[in-house]
Amino acid sequence: MLHEWAKATDGTSAAVRVVLLDYTKAFDSIDHGTLFHKIRYLDIPYEIRCWVRAFLTDRYQRVKISNDCYSEWGHVPLGVPQGTKLGPWLFLLMINDLKVRDSPIWKFADDITASETVPKGNASHIQQDVQEIETWSNSNKVELNPVKCKKLIIDFKKRKQQFDPILINKQPIEVVHHKKVLGLTVSDNLLWNNHVNETIKKVNKRFFFLIQLKRSKVPEKDLIQFYTTCIRPILDYGAQVYHYALPQYLQESLERIQKRALSIIFPRVSYQDSLQLSCLSSLSSRRQELCDKLFSSVVANSNHKLHNQLHKVNTANYNLRVLRTYDLPNFKTNRFLNTFIPSSCKFA
């Protein structure tokens, strides 16, 4: 997704309009009849279809007010149970046939993103695509929430293109400069300052527990376990997307988080020594390892969703000092070069 947006604005003077869609109570509003109708025509064994039907139908719920006080049982005619592994899969089956003719669309559970590349001086037609999605939603008995739907405009020209507002249910949706998409804060300038700041804020809230554990004289190995399971995953999340695009000052901001954590666990010990004592690597090195691991899986698996984004293998017979594995094109901006696939191909 970000690869496509960076590529579309790589010195082309084009703008990208991104629509981030949100459904009202997505999991709670799924119509069982519509879902069963779609499952019926999928290549799913009959027994599994019957099991899904039995799982969803004749469900009842009630509210516990106190130890001995309950509400009346109420029938649950819509929705899929949240907190189950089956719930997101059933929602994916529900939106599997959602398509638009002219715009790429990305679907992940109830997060749906559509975008349109608008060349300089051309008119935008994404309103028609949004109307198609709205029509599909109405026919499938799910409702878009225009208040939570947002729009990003990625445009790097000095004179920005002006667009008409996008309407959902006859209401214009808000234009924002950054929005969280699948846990990553994406900005309209494709920089990662907002995401890093949000990550640091989230991590700082968990340092309270690490400090309390240290004061309780919890062993150092257990403190390291707490850090690697409750704090570091926040810093690692989605690292492959933004690692190569991080300027030095943002890398240092993230590294300071790990320095602080290790200074709590190992007071009066240098950062390098604490890394050795804890058998950890720097965050920069860890992000690089995660990128290398993902890139290896992309190269090895021809069915991987990112495999078709790989550049052509370099077949030149020149006797050069440095012979690259992939034949890279001339990138017009570092913004596109620093995305995951081009940078991984460059350093492969």
Side-chain angles (χ1 to χ4, degrees):
M1 185 169 65
L2 290 166
H3 175 92
E4 294 295 336
W5 299 343
K7 182 179 180 180
T9 55
D10 186 34
T12 61
S13 296
V16 177
R17 301 184 80 188
V18 181
V19 182
L20 306 159
L21 300 172
D22 188 279
Y23 283 100
T24 301
K25 297 182 178 180
F27 287 88
D28 295 331
S29 60
I30 292 179
D31 180 72
H32 293 165
T34 304
L35 178 61
F36 297 151
H37 178 76
K38 294 186 177 187
I39 293 177
R40 179 182 177 184
Y41 293 99
L42 295 175
D43 187 19
I44 296 177
Y46 174 77
E47 294 79 6
I48 300 297
R49 298 203 304 267
C50 292
W51 179 77
V52 171
R53 179 183 290 271
F55 178 69
L56 293 179
T57 55
D58 297 327
R59 298 185 69 92
Y60 291 83
Q61 66 182 15
R62 64 177 179 176
V63 178
K64 180 179 179 180
I65 301 174
S66 62
N67 289 336
D68 299 318
C69 184
Y70 298 88
S71 67
E72 295 291 332
W73 285 102
H75 182 242
V76 183
L78 300 172
V80 295
Q82 297 192 42
T84 64
K85 290 186 177 181
L86 190 60
W89 285 102
L90 293 176
F91 191 85
L92 286 175
L93 293 178
M94 185 73 179
I95 65 172
N96 185 55
D97 61 343
L98 171 59
K99 296 179 177 64
V100 293
R101 287 174 294 179
D102 300 323
S103 299
I105 186 170
W106 292 272
K107 298 176 286 187
F108 187 87
D110 59 336
D111 288 305
I112 300 175
T113 304
S115 70
E116 177 195 32
T117 301
V118 185
K120 185 178 180 180
N122 286 24
S124 171
H125 303 287
I126 198 170
Q127 178 65 60
Q128 289 90 321
D129 298 326
V130 172
Q131 186 62 47
E132 283 186 45
I133 297 174
E134 190 173 352
T135 301
W136 178 94
S137 301
N138 292 334
S139 64
N140 285 271
K141 303 178 182 178
V142 289
E143 183 181 0
L144 289 169
N145 187 342
V147 176
K148 292 187 177 180
C149 294
K150 306 296 180 184
K151 180 179 75 171
L152 283 172
I153 301 178
I154 303 172
D155 190 356
F156 296 98
K157 298 187 294 293
K158 291 183 179 179
R159 297 184 62 181
K160 311 295 185 184
Q161 290 181 249
Q162 300 299 315
F163 299 106
D164 293 332
I166 295 175
L167 304 179
I168 294 179
N169 295 337
K170 299 181 180 180
Q171 298 183 42
I173 64 175
E174 181 185 3
V175 179
V176 295
H177 295 293
H178 56 86
K179 183 73 168 63
K180 185 165 286 190
V181 182
L182 298 180
L184 297 176
T185 303
V186 178
S187 301
D188 58 4
N189 56 10
L190 298 184
L191 298 178
W192 296 99
N193 300 60
N194 288 312
H195 176 71
V196 170
N197 291 336
E198 290 294 326
T199 299
I200 292 174
K201 288 180 183 178
K202 187 174 181 179
V203 167
N204 283 336
K205 294 177 182 178
R206 301 199 178 188
F207 272 123
F208 169 79
F209 301 102
L210 182 61
I211 293 172
Q212 295 303 312
L213 291 172
K214 180 65 176 179
R215 290 175 176 173
S216 301
K217 302 187 184 302
V218 172
E220 293 173 348
K221 65 175 183 178
D222 294 330
L223 294 176
I224 295 171
Q225 184 70 21
F226 175 81
Y227 168 72
T228 56
T229 55
C230 297
I231 296 179
R232 193 176 65 176
I234 301 174
L235 302 170
D236 289 341
Y237 180 77
Q240 299 91 331
V241 177
Y242 58 81
H243 170 62
Y244 294 109
L246 286 182
Q248 186 63 33
Y249 71 94
L250 288 182
Q251 294 187 40
E252 292 174 354
S253 296
L254 290 173
E255 202 69 45
R256 279 195 292 269
I257 296 296
Q258 181 163 271
K259 287 182 180 179
R260 183 187 172 193
L262 293 182
S263 68
I264 294 172
I265 300 172
F266 302 105
R268 295 180 296 277
V269 177
S270 69
Y271 181 51
Q272 293 301 323
D273 290 341
S274 61
L275 286 176
Q276 294 181 357
L277 290 172
S278 58
C279 299
L280 299 177
S281 59
S282 66
L283 289 179
S284 179
S285 299
R286 181 169 172 79
R287 288 195 302 271
Q288 186 62 57
E289 291 173 4
L290 293 172
C291 289
D292 293 341
K293 183 178 179 180
L294 176 59
F295 185 69
S296 297
S297 67
V298 171
V299 173
N301 183 7
S302 60
N303 294 321
H304 197 287
K305 293 294 185 181
L306 296 178
H307 189 83
N308 62 350
Q309 303 290 351
L310 295 174
H311 298 283
K312 293 182 179 179
V313 176
N314 193 350
T315 57
N317 295 321
Y318 304 119
N319 187 17
L320 302 176
R321 184 176 298 175
V322 178
L323 184 62
R324 288 177 176 166
T325 305
Y326 294 92
D327 186 14
L328 300 179
N330 291 323
F331 299 98
K332 297 179 181 178
T333 60
N334 287 332
R335 181 175 58 250
F336 181 36
L337 173 61
N338 291 335
T339 56
F340 172 69
I341 291 293
S343 290
S344 297
C345 290
K346 177 182 178 181
F347 297 115

Coordinates of all heavy atoms in Angstrom, one line a residue, residues 213-263:
L213 N 8.4 -3.4 39.1 CA 9.0 -4.7 39.2 C 10.4 -4.6 39.7 O 10.9 -5.4 40.5 CB 9.0 -5.4 37.8 CG 7.6 -5.8 37.3 CD1 7.7 -6.3 35.9 CD2 7.0 -6.9 38.2
K214 N 11.2 -3.6 39.3 CA 12.5 -3.4 39.7 C 12.6 -3.1 41.2 O 13.4 -3.6 42.0 CB 13.2 -2.3 38.9 CG 14.7 -2.0 39.3 CD 15.6 -3.2 39.0 CE 17.0 -2.8 39.4 NZ 17.9 -4.0 39.1
R215 N 11.7 -2.2 41.7 CA 11.6 -1.9 43.1 C 11.2 -3.1 43.9 O 11.6 -3.1 45.1 CB 10.6 -0.7 43.3 CG 11.1 0.6 42.7 CD 10.0 1.7 42.9 NE 10.5 3.0 42.4 CZ 9.7 4.1 42.3 NH1 8.5 4.0 42.7 NH2 10.3 5.2 41.9
S216 N 10.5 -4.0 43.3 CA 10.1 -5.2 44.1 C 11.2 -6.3 44.1 O 10.9 -7.4 44.5 CB 8.8 -5.8 43.5 OG 7.8 -4.8 43.5
K217 N 12.3 -5.9 43.5 CA 13.5 -6.8 43.5 C 13.3 -8.1 42.7 O 13.7 -9.2 43.1 CB 13.9 -7.2 44.9 CG 14.3 -6.0 45.8 CD 14.9 -6.4 47.1 CE 15.1 -5.1 48.0 NZ 16.0 -4.2 47.3
V218 N 12.5 -7.9 41.6 CA 12.3 -9.0 40.7 C 13.7 -9.3 40.0 O 14.4 -8.4 39.7 CB 11.3 -8.7 39.6 CG1 11.2 -9.7 38.5 CG2 9.9 -8.5 40.3
P219 N 14.1 -10.6 39.8 CA 15.4 -10.9 39.2 C 15.5 -10.3 37.8 O 14.5 -10.1 37.1 CB 15.3 -12.4 39.1 CG 14.4 -12.9 40.2 CD 13.3 -11.8 40.2
E220 N 16.8 -10.0 37.5 CA 17.1 -9.3 36.2 C 16.6 -10.1 35.0 O 16.1 -9.5 34.0 CB 18.6 -9.0 36.1 CG 19.0 -8.0 37.1 CD 20.5 -7.9 37.2 OE1 21.2 -8.7 36.5 OE2 21.1 -6.9 37.8
K221 N 16.7 -11.4 35.0 CA 16.3 -12.2 33.9 C 14.8 -12.1 33.7 O 14.3 -12.1 32.5 CB 16.7 -13.6 34.0 CG 16.0 -14.4 35.2 CD 16.4 -15.9 35.2 CE 15.6 -16.6 36.3 NZ 16.0 -18.1 36.3
D222 N 14.0 -11.9 34.8 CA 12.6 -11.8 34.6 C 12.2 -10.4 34.1 O 11.2 -10.2 33.4 CB 11.9 -12.0 36.0 CG 12.0 -13.5 36.4 OD1 12.1 -14.3 35.5 OD2 12.0 -13.7 37.6
L223 N 13.0 -9.4 34.5 CA 12.8 -8.0 34.0 C 13.1 -7.9 32.5 O 12.3 -7.3 31.8 CB 13.7 -7.0 34.8 CG 13.4 -6.8 36.3 CD1 14.5 -5.9 36.9 CD2 12.0 -6.3 36.5
I224 N 14.1 -8.6 32.1 CA 14.4 -8.7 30.7 C 13.3 -9.4 29.9 O 12.9 -9.0 28.8 CB 15.7 -9.4 30.4 CG1 16.9 -8.6 31.0 CG2 16.0 -9.7 28.9 CD1 18.2 -9.3 31.0
Q225 N 12.7 -10.4 30.5 CA 11.6 -11.1 29.9 C 10.4 -10.2 29.8 O 9.7 -10.2 28.8 CB 11.2 -12.4 30.8 CG 10.1 -13.2 30.2 CD 10.6 -14.0 28.9 OE1 11.7 -14.2 28.7 NE2 9.6 -14.4 28.1
F226 N 10.1 -9.4 30.8 CA 9.0 -8.4 30.8 C 9.3 -7.4 29.7 O 8.3 -7.1 28.9 CB 8.9 -7.7 32.1 CG 7.9 -6.6 32.1 CD1 6.5 -7.0 32.3 CD2 8.2 -5.3 31.9 CE1 5.5 -6.0 32.2 CE2 7.3 -4.3 31.9 CZ 5.9 -4.6 32.1
Y227 N 10.5 -6.9 29.6 CA 10.8 -5.9 28.5 C 10.6 -6.5 27.1 O 10.0 -5.9 26.2 CB 12.2 -5.4 28.7 CG 12.7 -4.7 27.5 CD1 12.2 -3.4 27.2 CD2 13.6 -5.2 26.6 CE1 12.7 -2.7 26.1 CE2 14.1 -4.5 25.5 CZ 13.6 -3.2 25.3 OH 14.0 -2.5 24.2
T228 N 11.1 -7.7 26.9 CA 11.0 -8.3 25.6 C 9.6 -8.8 25.2 O 9.4 -9.0 24.0 CB 12.0 -9.5 25.4 OG1 11.7 -10.5 26.5 CG2 13.4 -9.0 25.6
T229 N 8.8 -9.0 26.1 CA 7.4 -9.4 25.8 C 6.4 -8.3 25.9 O 5.3 -8.4 25.2 CB 7.0 -10.6 26.8 OG1 7.1 -10.1 28.1 CG2 7.8 -11.8 26.6
C230 N 6.6 -7.3 26.7 CA 5.6 -6.3 26.9 C 6.0 -4.9 26.4 O 5.1 -4.0 26.2 CB 5.2 -6.1 28.4 SG 4.5 -7.6 29.1
I231 N 7.2 -4.6 26.1 CA 7.6 -3.3 25.7 C 8.3 -3.4 24.3 O 7.8 -2.6 23.4 CB 8.6 -2.7 26.7 CG1 8.0 -2.5 28.0 CG2 9.2 -1.4 26.2 CD1 8.8 -1.9 29.1
R232 N 9.2 -4.2 24.1 CA 9.9 -4.2 22.8 C 9.0 -4.6 21.6 O 9.2 -4.0 20.5 CB 11.1 -5.2 22.8 CG 12.0 -5.0 21.6 CD 13.3 -5.9 21.7 NE 12.9 -7.4 21.7 CZ 13.8 -8.3 21.7 NH1 15.1 -8.1 21.7 NH2 13.4 -9.6 21.6
P233 N 8.0 -5.4 21.8 CA 7.1 -5.7 20.6 C 6.4 -4.4 20.1 O 6.2 -4.3 18.9 CB 6.1 -6.7 21.2 CG 6.8 -7.4 22.2 CD 7.7 -6.4 22.9
I234 N 6.2 -3.5 20.9 CA 5.6 -2.2 20.5 C 6.6 -1.5 19.6 O 6.2 -0.9 18.6 CB 5.2 -1.3 21.7 CG1 4.2 -2.0 22.6 CG2 4.7 0.0 21.2 CD1 3.9 -1.3 23.8
L235 N 7.9 -1.5 19.9 CA 8.9 -0.9 19.1 C 9.2 -1.6 17.8 O 9.6 -1.0 16.9 CB 10.2 -0.8 20.0 CG 10.1 0.0 21.3 CD1 11.3 -0.2 22.1 CD2 9.8 1.5 21.0
D236 N 8.9 -2.9 17.8 CA 9.2 -3.8 16.6 C 8.0 -3.7 15.7 O 8.2 -4.0 14.5 CB 9.4 -5.2 17.1 CG 10.8 -5.4 17.8 OD1 11.6 -4.5 17.6 OD2 10.9 -6.5 18.4
Y237 N 6.9 -3.4 16.1 CA 5.7 -3.6 15.3 C 5.8 -2.8 14.0 O 6.0 -1.6 14.0 CB 4.4 -3.1 16.0 CG 3.1 -3.3 15.2 CD1 2.6 -4.5 15.0 CD2 2.6 -2.2 14.6 CE1 1.4 -4.7 14.3 CE2 1.4 -2.3 13.9 CZ 0.9 -3.6 13.7 OH -0.3 -3.8 12.9
G238 N 5.6 -3.5 12.9 CA 5.6 -2.8 11.6 C 7.0 -2.2 11.2 O 7.0 -1.4 10.3
A239 N 8.0 -2.7 11.8 CA 9.3 -2.1 11.6 C 9.8 -2.2 10.1 O 10.5 -1.3 9.6 CB 10.4 -2.7 12.5
Q240 N 9.4 -3.3 9.4 CA 9.8 -3.5 8.0 C 9.2 -2.3 7.2 O 9.8 -2.0 6.1 CB 9.3 -4.8 7.5 CG 9.8 -6.0 8.3 CD 8.9 -6.4 9.4 OE1 8.3 -5.6 10.0 NE2 9.0 -7.7 9.8
V241 N 8.1 -1.8 7.5 CA 7.5 -0.7 6.7 C 8.3 0.6 6.7 O 8.5 1.2 5.7 CB 6.1 -0.4 7.2 CG1 5.4 0.7 6.4 CG2 5.2 -1.7 7.1
Y242 N 8.9 0.9 7.9 CA 9.5 2.3 8.0 C 10.9 2.3 8.3 O 11.6 3.3 8.3 CB 8.7 3.1 9.1 CG 8.7 2.4 10.5 CD1 9.9 2.5 11.3 CD2 7.7 1.7 10.9 CE1 9.9 2.0 12.6 CE2 7.6 1.1 12.2 CZ 8.8 1.3 13.0 OH 8.8 0.7 14.2
H243 N 11.6 1.1 8.5 CA 13.0 1.1 8.9 C 13.9 1.9 8.0 O 14.7 2.7 8.5 CB 13.5 -0.4 9.0 CG 14.9 -0.5 9.3 ND1 15.5 0.0 10.4 CD2 15.9 -1.0 8.5 CE1 16.8 -0.2 10.4 NE2 17.1 -0.9 9.2
Y244 N 13.8 1.6 6.8 CA 14.8 2.3 5.8 C 14.5 3.8 5.7 O 15.3 4.5 5.2 CB 14.7 1.6 4.5 CG 15.3 0.2 4.5 CD1 14.4 -0.9 4.3 CD2 16.6 -0.1 4.7 CE1 14.9 -2.2 4.3 CE2 17.1 -1.4 4.7 CZ 16.2 -2.4 4.5 OH 16.7 -3.7 4.5
A245 N 13.3 4.2 6.0 CA 12.9 5.6 5.9 C 13.2 6.4 7.1 O 12.9 7.6 7.1 CB 11.4 5.7 5.5
L246 N 13.6 5.8 8.2 CA 13.9 6.6 9.4 C 15.1 7.4 9.3 O 16.2 6.8 9.1 CB 14.0 5.6 10.6 CG 12.7 5.0 11.1 CD1 13.0 4.1 12.4 CD2 11.6 6.0 11.5
P247 N 15.1 8.7 9.5 CA 16.3 9.5 9.6 C 17.0 9.2 10.9 O 16.4 8.6 11.9 CB 15.8 10.9 9.6 CG 14.4 10.9 10.1 CD 13.9 9.5 9.6
Q248 N 18.2 9.6 11.0 CA 19.1 9.2 12.2 C 18.5 9.7 13.5 O 18.5 9.0 14.5 CB 20.5 9.9 12.0 CG 21.5 9.4 13.1 CD 21.8 7.9 13.0 OE1 21.8 7.3 12.0 NE2 22.1 7.3 14.2
Y249 N 17.9 10.9 13.5 CA 17.4 11.4 14.8 C 16.2 10.6 15.3 O 16.0 10.5 16.5 CB 17.0 12.9 14.7 CG 15.8 13.2 13.9 CD1 14.6 13.4 14.4 CD2 15.9 13.4 12.5 CE1 13.4 13.7 13.7 CE2 14.8 13.8 11.7 CZ 13.6 13.9 12.3 OH 12.5 14.2 11.6
L250 N 15.4 10.0 14.4 CA 14.3 9.2 14.8 C 14.8 7.8 15.3 O 14.2 7.2 16.2 CB 13.2 9.0 13.7 CG 12.4 10.3 13.3 CD1 11.4 9.9 12.3 CD2 11.7 10.8 14.6
Q251 N 15.8 7.3 14.6 CA 16.4 6.1 15.1 C 17.0 6.2 16.5 O 16.8 5.3 17.4 CB 17.5 5.6 14.1 CG 17.0 5.2 12.8 CD 18.1 4.7 11.9 OE1 19.0 3.9 12.4 NE2 18.2 5.0 10.6
E252 N 17.6 7.4 16.8 CA 18.1 7.6 18.1 C 17.0 7.8 19.1 O 17.2 7.3 20.3 CB 19.0 8.9 18.0 CG 20.3 8.7 17.2 CD 21.0 10.0 17.1 OE1 20.5 11.1 17.5 OE2 22.2 10.0 16.5
S253 N 15.9 8.4 18.7 CA 14.8 8.5 19.6 C 14.2 7.1 20.1 O 13.9 6.9 21.3 CB 13.6 9.3 19.0 OG 14.1 10.6 18.7
L254 N 14.1 6.2 19.1 CA 13.7 4.9 19.5 C 14.7 4.1 20.3 O 14.4 3.4 21.2 CB 13.4 4.1 18.2 CG 12.2 4.5 17.4 CD1 12.1 3.8 16.1 CD2 10.9 4.3 18.2
E255 N 16.0 4.3 20.0 CA 17.1 3.6 20.7 C 17.1 4.1 22.1 O 17.4 3.3 23.0 CB 18.4 3.9 20.0 CG 19.5 2.8 20.3 CD 19.1 1.5 19.7 OE1 18.8 1.4 18.5 OE2 19.3 0.4 20.4
R256 N 16.8 5.3 22.4 CA 16.8 5.8 23.8 C 15.8 5.1 24.6 O 16.0 5.0 25.8 CB 16.5 7.4 23.8 CG 17.7 8.2 23.5 CD 17.5 9.6 23.9 NE 16.5 10.3 23.0 CZ 16.8 10.9 21.9 NH1 18.1 11.0 21.5 NH2 15.9 11.5 21.2
I257 N 14.7 4.6 24.0 CA 13.7 3.9 24.8 C 14.3 2.6 25.3 O 14.2 2.3 26.5 CB 12.5 3.5 23.9 CG1 11.8 4.8 23.4 CG2 11.5 2.6 24.6 CD1 11.2 5.6 24.5
Q258 N 15.1 1.9 24.5 CA 15.7 0.6 25.0 C 16.8 1.0 26.0 O 17.0 0.2 27.0 CB 16.3 -0.2 23.8 CG 16.9 -1.5 24.3 CD 17.1 -2.4 23.1 OE1 16.2 -3.2 22.8 NE2 18.3 -2.4 22.5
K259 N 17.5 2.1 25.8 CA 18.6 2.5 26.7 C 18.0 2.7 28.1 O 18.5 2.3 29.1 CB 19.3 3.8 26.2 CG 20.2 3.5 25.0 CD 20.9 4.8 24.6 CE 21.8 4.7 23.5 NZ 22.5 5.9 23.1
R260 N 16.8 3.4 28.1 CA 16.2 3.7 29.4 C 15.7 2.4 30.1 O 15.9 2.2 31.3 CB 15.0 4.6 29.2 CG 14.3 5.0 30.4 CD 13.0 5.7 30.2 NE 12.3 6.0 31.4 CZ 11.0 6.4 31.5 NH1 10.3 6.6 30.4 NH2 10.4 6.5 32.7
A261 N 15.2 1.5 29.3 CA 14.7 0.2 29.9 C 15.9 -0.6 30.5 O 15.8 -1.1 31.6 CB 14.0 -0.7 28.8
L262 N 17.0 -0.6 29.8 CA 18.2 -1.4 30.3 C 18.8 -0.7 31.4 O 19.4 -1.3 32.3 CB 19.2 -1.6 29.1 CG 18.7 -2.6 28.0 CD1 19.7 -2.8 27.0 CD2 18.2 -3.9 28.6
S263 N 18.7 0.7 31.4 CA 19.3 1.4 32.6 C 18.5 1.2 33.9 O 19.0 1.2 35.0 CB 19.3 2.9 32.3 OG 18.0 3.4 32.2

